[in-house]
Amino acid sequence: MSSNKSLVPEAKEALNKFKMEAANEVGVNLKQGYNGDLTSKQAGSVGGQMVKKMIENAENAMRSGR
């Protein structure tokens, strides 16, 4: 059974900041709180940018031997 609960509640603020940075990088204007007026394309581009950055971070961590 899935849920939207965070495994680490303290990470919520960092994830929100990360999402806002990713949105800014792809030119999507997010506001605090509800963003249900975004198109699927806009929401997908934010999510895609977040995944891209997470993959880059993981690759860099592997290269540096972490």
Side-chain angles (χ1 to χ4, degrees), residues 7-45:
L7 293 176
V8 183
E10 299 81 21
K12 187 172 185 171
E13 185 59 37
L15 287 172
N16 281 333
K17 182 179 177 198
F18 181 53
K19 178 173 57 176
M20 296 300 255
E21 289 172 2
N24 189 42
E25 290 173 7
V26 294
V28 175
N29 186 22
L30 287 185
K31 28 186 198 296
Q32 293 293 336
Y34 180 73
N35 282 287
D37 56 340
L38 292 180
T39 65
S40 296
K41 183 177 180 179
Q42 290 171 316
S45 65

Side-chain angles (χ1 to χ4, degrees), residues 42-62:
Q42 290 171 316
S45 65
V46 172
Q49 182 69 6
M50 291 174 72
V51 170
K52 180 181 172 185
K53 291 177 70 88
M54 286 186 276
I55 291 170
E56 287 173 359
N57 286 340
E59 288 174 344
N60 288 337
M62 284 190 261

